[in-house]
C-alpha cells in the first residue's frame, strides 16, 4: 500500500518526535557526563560564592558530578545571569541567582539583557539570609519602636546607611518606612566597611545588613541589634525581636538564593538537578555550614521557585516606584 504525501509527512513527524523524546530521555539518564559550569554573578569569597561552592560540593560528594565555579561579577549580578540566559539549554550551565538580580534589578535597569521569567528555568531554592537593623551601642534609641517614634516625631532626622541605591538593604528599609508611615534620610555608601564605621561611631543612626557582617560587632558591644527582618527570631540573636514583633507587620524581607538554568533545559534534567540538590540540602553538615554563615537552608520545587521570583518582582517593583528609586 502506498502512503499519501500527507500520511508520509505525518509518519516522518511522528518519527522525529519519538527520536527527540528518546534523545531527551537518554540525556537525562546519562546526566551528567561532563563538568557542570556554575556561574556565580558576584566576586569570590562573598555569601553567594560560598553558598554555591558548598552546595555544589555536597552534590558532587553524592553523585561524583564535577562542578566548575566561575565568578562573573558586574552590574549588580546582571552580567553573570545574562550570560547563563543565553547559554545552551542542555543542563551544563547553571547560575546561582538571588533576590537582587532576579526580582529587583528588572525594575531598576531599563535595558536588562535578560528576562528572569522568560529566559531562565528555576531549579530550586537553596537558602535565604535575613537582615538585621542595627544602631550604635551608644545610640539613645534602645529599641526599634523608640527609633521609629523619633522618626515619626521629626521626619527626615533619622538617617540610615545602605550599600547603595537599589540594594536589598536599601529597599527593605524603604519598605519599612512605608509600612510604618515614617521618613528616613537615606545615605548610600559604596562599601560596607565605611558604612559600618559611621554607624559604630554614631554618625549614622541606622544600618541594615546581613547577619554574618554584623554579628561580631553586636557581640563585641559596638552595635545594638534592633530588629531582624525574618519571620522568626534568629537563634544567634534570640533577644532581638523581628520587625513584625516590633509592630511593623508587612516589613519582613530576606535575600534568597537559588539555582537556575537557561529556559528550554529539558524538564527531565531540571527534575534530576532538583532531586540531587534536595538530597544535598538535607545533610546536617551542609545545614550547619549555612547556619554558621547566617543562612537558612531552603528547598523548593521549580514551580515554587518560579512563583517566588514573580511574586517578588511585583513586590519590589512597587517599593521601587513608590520610593522613586533610581540608580546613580
Amino acid at each position: 500500500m502506498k502512503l499519501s504525501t500527507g500520511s508520509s509527512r505525518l509518519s516522518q513527524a511522528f518519527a522525529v518526535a519519538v527520536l527527540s523524546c528518546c534523545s531527551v530521555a537518554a540525556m537525562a539518564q546519562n546526566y551528567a557526563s561532563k563538568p557542570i559550569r556554575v556561574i556565580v554573578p558576584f566576586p569570590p569569597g562573598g555569601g553567594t560564592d560560598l553558598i554555591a561552592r558548598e552546595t555544589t560540593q555536597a552534590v558532587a560528594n553524592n553523585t561524583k558530578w564535577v562542578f566548575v565555579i566561575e565568578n562573573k561579577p558586574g552590574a549588580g549580578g546582571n552580567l553573570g545571569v545574562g550570560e547563563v540566559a543565553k547559554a545552551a539549554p542542555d543542563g551544563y550551565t547553571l547560575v546561582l541567582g538571588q533576590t537582587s538580580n532576579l526580582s529587583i534589578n528588572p525594575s531598576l535597569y531599563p535595558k536588562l539583557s535578560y528576562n528572569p521569567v522568560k529566559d531562565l528555568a528555576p531549579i530550586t531554592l537553596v537558602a535565604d539570609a535575613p537582615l538585621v537593623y542595627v544602631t550604635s551601642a551608644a545610640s539613645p534609641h534602645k529599641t526599634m519602636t523608640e527609633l521609629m517614634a523619633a522618626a515619626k516625631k521629626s521626619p527626615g532626622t533619622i538617617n540610615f546607611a545602605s550599600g547603595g541605591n537599589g540594594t536589598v538593604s536599601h529597599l527593605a528599609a524603604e519598605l519599612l518606612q512605608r509600612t510604618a508611615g515614617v521618613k528616613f534620610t537615606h545615605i548610600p555608601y559604596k562599601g560596607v566597611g565605611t558604612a559600618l564605621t559611621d554607624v559604630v561611631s554614631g554618625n549614622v543612626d541606622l544600618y541594615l545588613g546581613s547577619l554574618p557582617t554584623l554579628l561580631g560587632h553586636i557581640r563585641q558591644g559596638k552595635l545594638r541589634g534592633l530588629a531582624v527582618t525574618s519571620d522568626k527570631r534568629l537563634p544567634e540573636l534570640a533577644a532581638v525581636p523581628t520587625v513584625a514583633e516590633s509592630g511593623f507587620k508587612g516589613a519582613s524581607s530576606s535575600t534568597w538564593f537559588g539555582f537556575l538554568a537557561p529556559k528550554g533545559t529539558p524538564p527531565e534534567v531540571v527534575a534530576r538537578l532538583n532531586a540531587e540538590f534536595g538530597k544535598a540540602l538535607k545533610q546536617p553538615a551542609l545545614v550547619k555550614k549555612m547556619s554558621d554563615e547566617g543562612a537558612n537552608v531552603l528547598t523548593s520545587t521549580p514551580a515554587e521557585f518560579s512563583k517566588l521570583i514573580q511574586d517578588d518582582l511585583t513586590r519590589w517593583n512597587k517599593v521601587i516606584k513608590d520610593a522613586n528609586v533610581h540608580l546613580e
Side-chain angles (χ1 to χ4, degrees):
M1 181 176 68
K2 186 176 180 180
L3 291 173
S4 66
T5 302
S7 298
S8 177
R9 288 175 179 171
L10 184 61
S11 297
Q12 290 174 1
F14 178 73
V16 169
V18 170
L19 288 173
S20 177
C21 289
C22 290
S23 176
V24 169
M27 180 191 296
Q29 186 175 2
N30 296 327
Y31 188 84
S33 59
K34 62 180 182 179
I36 302 167
R37 180 173 170 241
V38 178
I39 299 294
V40 175
F42 294 101
T48 306
D49 182 64
L50 292 173
I51 289 171
R53 292 178 187 276
E54 290 169 356
T55 306
T56 54
Q57 184 59 57
V59 174
N61 292 341
N62 290 343
T63 62
K64 306 307 178 186
W65 293 350
V66 176
F67 291 93
V68 178
I69 305 293
E70 292 186 22
N71 296 90
K72 298 278 184 178
N78 296 345
L79 293 183
V81 178
E83 182 173 329
V84 173
K86 296 177 177 64
D90 56 8
Y92 289 97
T93 303
L94 311 180
V95 65
L96 183 62
Q98 54 150 270
T99 309
S100 62
N101 46 52
L102 297 177
S103 290
I104 290 176
N105 290 357
S107 296
L108 286 175
Y109 291 81
K111 295 182 179 180
L112 207 60
S113 66
Y114 61 91
N115 182 308
V117 176
K118 295 180 180 179
D119 299 333
L120 296 165
I123 296 169
T124 184
L125 285 164
V126 295
D128 72 354
L131 304 172
V132 185
Y133 283 100
V134 295
T135 189
S136 168
S139 170
H141 309 297
K142 307 297 183 185
T143 66
M144 179 62 83
T145 304
E146 290 180 10
L147 183 139
M148 297 301 271
K152 184 165 288 191
K153 182 178 180 180
S154 303
T157 59
I158 297 295
N159 54 41
F160 81 95
S162 79
N165 284 322
T167 57
V168 175
S169 59
H170 172 206
L171 297 181
E174 293 288 353
L175 178 62
L176 174 65
Q177 291 175 76
R178 272 141 193 81
T179 302
V182 302
K183 179 62 179 174
F184 300 148
T185 295
H186 178 216
I187 305 175
Y189 284 76
K190 292 184 178 179
V192 173
T194 308
L196 280 178
T197 297
D198 283 353
V199 177
V200 170
S201 66
N203 292 329
V204 174
D205 298 308
L206 188 65
Y207 179 75
L208 178 63
S210 67
L211 179 63
T213 302
L214 300 175
L215 187 57
H217 292 82
I218 295 172
R219 286 175 172 169
Q220 292 167 20
K222 296 179 180 179
L223 293 173
R224 177 184 299 129
L226 296 180
V228 295
T229 64
S230 51
D231 292 329
K232 297 179 180 179
R233 294 196 184 198
L234 305 178
E236 299 87 348
L237 294 174
V240 178
T242 66
V243 288
E245 288 176 325
S246 300
F248 311 108
K249 292 182 179 179
S252 298
S253 59
S254 67
T255 295
W256 43 257
F257 307 83
F259 286 100
L260 305 94
K263 183 71 80 175
T265 300
E268 294 85 353
V269 172
V270 171
R272 179 78 191 280
L273 284 163
N274 177 274
E276 294 301 341
F277 277 119
K279 290 177 187 176
L281 290 163
K282 292 177 182 176
Q283 296 176 0
L286 181 57
V287 172
K288 185 179 186 306
K289 278 186 178 181
M290 294 276 201
S291 178
D292 290 344
E293 290 158 11
N296 305 308
V297 165
L298 298 176
T299 57
S300 73
T301 65
E304 289 168 342
F305 188 10
S306 178
K307 185 177 186 304
L308 176 62
I309 293 171
Q310 295 186 67
D311 287 349
D312 269 12
L313 274 166
T314 301
R315 183 190 196 205
W316 292 121
N317 179 261
K318 185 177 188 311
V319 173
I320 289 166
K321 286 184 175 179
D322 289 349
N324 195 28
V325 176
H326 298 284
L327 295 179
E328 296 178 346

